[in-house]
PDB file of all heavy atoms in Angstrom:
ATOM      1  N   GLY A 709      -5.405  -5.475  -9.311  1.00 93.00           N
ATOM      2  CA  GLY A 709      -4.281  -5.128 -10.166  1.00 93.00           C
ATOM      3  C   GLY A 709      -3.563  -6.356 -10.683  1.00 93.00           C
ATOM      4  O   GLY A 709      -3.159  -6.411 -11.856  1.00 93.00           O
ATOM      5  N   LEU A 710      -3.413  -7.362  -9.813  1.00 95.00           N
ATOM      6  CA  LEU A 710      -2.786  -8.610 -10.228  1.00 95.00           C
ATOM      7  C   LEU A 710      -3.597  -9.282 -11.330  1.00 95.00           C
ATOM      8  O   LEU A 710      -3.034  -9.799 -12.307  1.00 95.00           O
ATOM      9  CB  LEU A 710      -2.655  -9.541  -9.023  1.00 95.00           C
ATOM     10  CG  LEU A 710      -1.987 -10.894  -9.272  1.00 95.00           C
ATOM     11  CD1 LEU A 710      -0.531 -10.713  -9.680  1.00 95.00           C
ATOM     12  CD2 LEU A 710      -2.086 -11.769  -8.021  1.00 95.00           C
ATOM     13  N   ALA A 711      -4.919  -9.262 -11.196  1.00 95.00           N
ATOM     14  CA  ALA A 711      -5.785  -9.869 -12.211  1.00 95.00           C
ATOM     15  C   ALA A 711      -5.666  -9.146 -13.550  1.00 95.00           C
ATOM     16  O   ALA A 711      -5.657  -9.780 -14.613  1.00 95.00           O
ATOM     17  CB  ALA A 711      -7.235  -9.863 -11.730  1.00 95.00           C
ATOM     18  N   LEU A 712      -5.576  -7.820 -13.508  1.00 95.00           N
ATOM     19  CA  LEU A 712      -5.426  -7.050 -14.746  1.00 95.00           C
ATOM     20  C   LEU A 712      -4.128  -7.400 -15.470  1.00 95.00           C
ATOM     21  O   LEU A 712      -4.119  -7.604 -16.690  1.00 95.00           O
ATOM     22  CB  LEU A 712      -5.437  -5.549 -14.436  1.00 95.00           C
ATOM     23  CG  LEU A 712      -6.787  -4.869 -14.263  1.00 95.00           C
ATOM     24  CD1 LEU A 712      -6.571  -3.425 -13.830  1.00 95.00           C
ATOM     25  CD2 LEU A 712      -7.582  -4.913 -15.549  1.00 95.00           C
ATOM     26  N   LEU A 713      -3.036  -7.465 -14.712  1.00 97.00           N
ATOM     27  CA  LEU A 713      -1.752  -7.781 -15.329  1.00 97.00           C
ATOM     28  C   LEU A 713      -1.734  -9.223 -15.825  1.00 97.00           C
ATOM     29  O   LEU A 713      -1.197  -9.510 -16.902  1.00 97.00           O
ATOM     30  CB  LEU A 713      -0.616  -7.540 -14.333  1.00 97.00           C
ATOM     31  CG  LEU A 713       0.802  -7.786 -14.864  1.00 97.00           C
ATOM     32  CD1 LEU A 713       1.063  -6.998 -16.141  1.00 97.00           C
ATOM     33  CD2 LEU A 713       1.834  -7.444 -13.806  1.00 97.00           C
ATOM     34  N   THR A 714      -2.335 -10.132 -15.067  1.00 98.00           N
ATOM     35  CA  THR A 714      -2.408 -11.538 -15.499  1.00 98.00           C
ATOM     36  C   THR A 714      -3.164 -11.657 -16.810  1.00 98.00           C
ATOM     37  O   THR A 714      -2.754 -12.396 -17.717  1.00 98.00           O
ATOM     38  CB  THR A 714      -3.079 -12.397 -14.417  1.00 98.00           C
ATOM     39  OG1 THR A 714      -2.330 -12.310 -13.194  1.00 98.00           O
ATOM     40  CG2 THR A 714      -3.164 -13.858 -14.850  1.00 98.00           C
ATOM     41  N   ALA A 715      -4.267 -10.913 -16.929  1.00 97.00           N
ATOM     42  CA  ALA A 715      -5.050 -10.951 -18.167  1.00 97.00           C
ATOM     43  C   ALA A 715      -4.233 -10.425 -19.340  1.00 97.00           C
ATOM     44  O   ALA A 715      -4.326 -10.955 -20.461  1.00 97.00           O
ATOM     45  CB  ALA A 715      -6.334 -10.138 -18.000  1.00 97.00           C
ATOM     46  N   TYR A 716      -3.422  -9.403 -19.091  1.00 97.00           N
ATOM     47  CA  TYR A 716      -2.556  -8.893 -20.161  1.00 97.00           C
ATOM     48  C   TYR A 716      -1.533  -9.948 -20.565  1.00 97.00           C
ATOM     49  O   TYR A 716      -1.285 -10.163 -21.768  1.00 97.00           O
ATOM     50  CB  TYR A 716      -1.834  -7.618 -19.732  1.00 97.00           C
ATOM     51  CG  TYR A 716      -0.762  -7.228 -20.727  1.00 97.00           C
ATOM     52  CD1 TYR A 716      -1.099  -6.643 -21.943  1.00 97.00           C
ATOM     53  CD2 TYR A 716       0.577  -7.521 -20.487  1.00 97.00           C
ATOM     54  CE1 TYR A 716      -0.135  -6.332 -22.887  1.00 97.00           C
ATOM     55  CE2 TYR A 716       1.556  -7.212 -21.425  1.00 97.00           C
ATOM     56  CZ  TYR A 716       1.184  -6.624 -22.624  1.00 97.00           C
ATOM     57  OH  TYR A 716       2.145  -6.340 -23.562  1.00 97.00           O
ATOM     58  N   LEU A 717      -0.924 -10.611 -19.590  1.00 98.00           N
ATOM     59  CA  LEU A 717       0.053 -11.653 -19.905  1.00 98.00           C
ATOM     60  C   LEU A 717      -0.600 -12.793 -20.678  1.00 98.00           C
ATOM     61  O   LEU A 717       0.027 -13.381 -21.567  1.00 98.00           O
ATOM     62  CB  LEU A 717       0.703 -12.167 -18.622  1.00 98.00           C
ATOM     63  CG  LEU A 717       1.517 -11.145 -17.810  1.00 98.00           C
ATOM     64  CD1 LEU A 717       2.133 -11.808 -16.587  1.00 98.00           C
ATOM     65  CD2 LEU A 717       2.585 -10.475 -18.662  1.00 98.00           C
ATOM     66  N   ASP A 718      -1.848 -13.114 -20.369  1.00 98.00           N
ATOM     67  CA  ASP A 718      -2.585 -14.117 -21.145  1.00 98.00           C
ATOM     68  C   ASP A 718      -2.659 -13.702 -22.607  1.00 98.00           C
ATOM     69  O   ASP A 718      -2.388 -14.502 -23.515  1.00 98.00           O
ATOM     70  CB  ASP A 718      -4.006 -14.288 -20.595  1.00 98.00           C
ATOM     71  CG  ASP A 718      -4.054 -15.070 -19.293  1.00 98.00           C
ATOM     72  OD1 ASP A 718      -3.107 -15.838 -19.028  1.00 98.00           O
ATOM     73  OD2 ASP A 718      -5.041 -14.924 -18.557  1.00 98.00           O
ATOM     74  N   ARG A 719      -3.007 -12.442 -22.840  1.00 97.00           N
ATOM     75  CA  ARG A 719      -3.143 -11.959 -24.221  1.00 97.00           C
ATOM     76  C   ARG A 719      -1.796 -11.952 -24.942  1.00 97.00           C
ATOM     77  O   ARG A 719      -1.702 -12.276 -26.129  1.00 97.00           O
ATOM     78  CB  ARG A 719      -3.769 -10.560 -24.226  1.00 97.00           C
ATOM     79  CG  ARG A 719      -5.201 -10.515 -23.687  1.00 97.00           C
ATOM     80  CD  ARG A 719      -5.883  -9.190 -23.996  1.00 97.00           C
ATOM     81  NE  ARG A 719      -5.213  -8.048 -23.399  1.00 97.00           N
ATOM     82  CZ  ARG A 719      -5.439  -7.621 -22.157  1.00 97.00           C
ATOM     83  NH1 ARG A 719      -6.317  -8.255 -21.386  1.00 97.00           N
ATOM     84  NH2 ARG A 719      -4.823  -6.545 -21.675  1.00 97.00           N
ATOM     85  N   ALA A 720      -0.736 -11.559 -24.214  1.00 97.00           N
ATOM     86  CA  ALA A 720       0.590 -11.530 -24.823  1.00 97.00           C
ATOM     87  C   ALA A 720       1.065 -12.939 -25.182  1.00 97.00           C
ATOM     88  O   ALA A 720       1.709 -13.141 -26.220  1.00 97.00           O
ATOM     89  CB  ALA A 720       1.582 -10.853 -23.882  1.00 97.00           C
ATOM     90  N   CYS A 721       0.746 -13.916 -24.351  1.00 97.00           N
ATOM     91  CA  CYS A 721       1.111 -15.301 -24.657  1.00 97.00           C
ATOM     92  C   CYS A 721       0.329 -15.809 -25.863  1.00 97.00           C
ATOM     93  O   CYS A 721       0.875 -16.508 -26.733  1.00 97.00           O
ATOM     94  CB  CYS A 721       0.868 -16.196 -23.444  1.00 97.00           C
ATOM     95  SG  CYS A 721       2.043 -15.935 -22.087  1.00 97.00           S
ATOM     96  N   GLU A 722      -0.950 -15.444 -25.925  1.00 97.00           N
ATOM     97  CA  GLU A 722      -1.760 -15.847 -27.077  1.00 97.00           C
ATOM     98  C   GLU A 722      -1.244 -15.203 -28.361  1.00 97.00           C
ATOM     99  O   GLU A 722      -1.315 -15.800 -29.446  1.00 97.00           O
ATOM    100  CB  GLU A 722      -3.221 -15.458 -26.847  1.00 97.00           C
ATOM    101  CG  GLU A 722      -3.901 -16.264 -25.751  1.00 97.00           C
ATOM    102  CD  GLU A 722      -5.232 -15.675 -25.318  1.00 97.00           C
ATOM    103  OE1 GLU A 722      -5.651 -14.661 -25.933  1.00 97.00           O
ATOM    104  OE2 GLU A 722      -5.845 -16.204 -24.371  1.00 97.00           O
ATOM    105  N   ALA A 723      -0.685 -14.004 -28.245  1.00 96.00           N
ATOM    106  CA  ALA A 723      -0.131 -13.305 -29.410  1.00 96.00           C
ATOM    107  C   ALA A 723       1.255 -13.823 -29.776  1.00 96.00           C
ATOM    108  O   ALA A 723       1.804 -13.450 -30.819  1.00 96.00           O
ATOM    109  CB  ALA A 723      -0.058 -11.810 -29.137  1.00 96.00           C
ATOM    110  N   GLY A 724       1.828 -14.666 -28.926  1.00 96.00           N
ATOM    111  CA  GLY A 724       3.137 -15.231 -29.211  1.00 96.00           C
ATOM    112  C   GLY A 724       4.312 -14.364 -28.819  1.00 96.00           C
ATOM    113  O   GLY A 724       5.454 -14.671 -29.160  1.00 96.00           O
ATOM    114  N   SER A 725       4.063 -13.274 -28.103  1.00 97.00           N
ATOM    115  CA  SER A 725       5.150 -12.377 -27.722  1.00 97.00           C
ATOM    116  C   SER A 725       5.751 -12.718 -26.358  1.00 97.00           C
ATOM    117  O   SER A 725       6.826 -12.219 -26.010  1.00 97.00           O
ATOM    118  CB  SER A 725       4.673 -10.919 -27.738  1.00 97.00           C
ATOM    119  OG  SER A 725       3.503 -10.772 -26.965  1.00 97.00           O
ATOM    120  N   LEU A 726       5.065 -13.547 -25.572  1.00 97.00           N
ATOM    121  CA  LEU A 726       5.588 -14.057 -24.307  1.00 97.00           C
ATOM    122  C   LEU A 726       5.329 -15.555 -24.246  1.00 97.00           C
ATOM    123  O   LEU A 726       4.434 -16.067 -24.923  1.00 97.00           O
ATOM    124  CB  LEU A 726       4.923 -13.365 -23.109  1.00 97.00           C
ATOM    125  CG  LEU A 726       5.229 -11.878 -22.877  1.00 97.00           C
ATOM    126  CD1 LEU A 726       4.379 -11.340 -21.731  1.00 97.00           C
ATOM    127  CD2 LEU A 726       6.708 -11.650 -22.600  1.00 97.00           C
ATOM    128  N   ALA A 727       6.091 -16.243 -23.421  1.00 97.00           N
ATOM    129  CA  ALA A 727       5.899 -17.685 -23.228  1.00 97.00           C
ATOM    130  C   ALA A 727       5.937 -17.962 -21.727  1.00 97.00           C
ATOM    131  O   ALA A 727       7.010 -18.030 -21.122  1.00 97.00           O
ATOM    132  CB  ALA A 727       6.983 -18.469 -23.952  1.00 97.00           C
ATOM    133  N   ILE A 728       4.764 -18.064 -21.109  1.00 97.00           N
ATOM    134  CA  ILE A 728       4.658 -18.186 -19.648  1.00 97.00           C
ATOM    135  C   ILE A 728       3.679 -19.307 -19.317  1.00 97.00           C
ATOM    136  O   ILE A 728       2.563 -19.341 -19.851  1.00 97.00           O
ATOM    137  CB  ILE A 728       4.165 -16.875 -19.006  1.00 97.00           C
ATOM    138  CG1 ILE A 728       5.025 -15.686 -19.457  1.00 97.00           C
ATOM    139  CG2 ILE A 728       4.155 -16.982 -17.488  1.00 97.00           C
ATOM    140  CD1 ILE A 728       4.471 -14.335 -19.020  1.00 97.00           C
ATOM    141  N   GLU A 729       4.058 -20.187 -18.415  1.00 96.00           N
ATOM    142  CA  GLU A 729       3.136 -21.242 -17.975  1.00 96.00           C
ATOM    143  C   GLU A 729       2.205 -20.730 -16.882  1.00 96.00           C
ATOM    144  O   GLU A 729       0.989 -20.874 -16.970  1.00 96.00           O
ATOM    145  CB  GLU A 729       3.933 -22.454 -17.492  1.00 96.00           C
ATOM    146  CG  GLU A 729       4.672 -23.193 -18.603  1.00 96.00           C
ATOM    147  CD  GLU A 729       5.335 -24.454 -18.096  1.00 96.00           C
ATOM    148  OE1 GLU A 729       5.107 -24.824 -16.925  1.00 96.00           O
ATOM    149  OE2 GLU A 729       6.095 -25.068 -18.872  1.00 96.00           O
TER     150      GLU A 729
END
Side-chain angles (χ1 to χ4, degrees):
L710 181 64
L712 278 175
L713 182 54
T714 301
Y716 170 76
L717 297 182
D718 285 337
R719 296 193 299 274
C721 289
E722 291 167 3
S725 53
L726 292 175
I728 307 172
E729 291 185 7

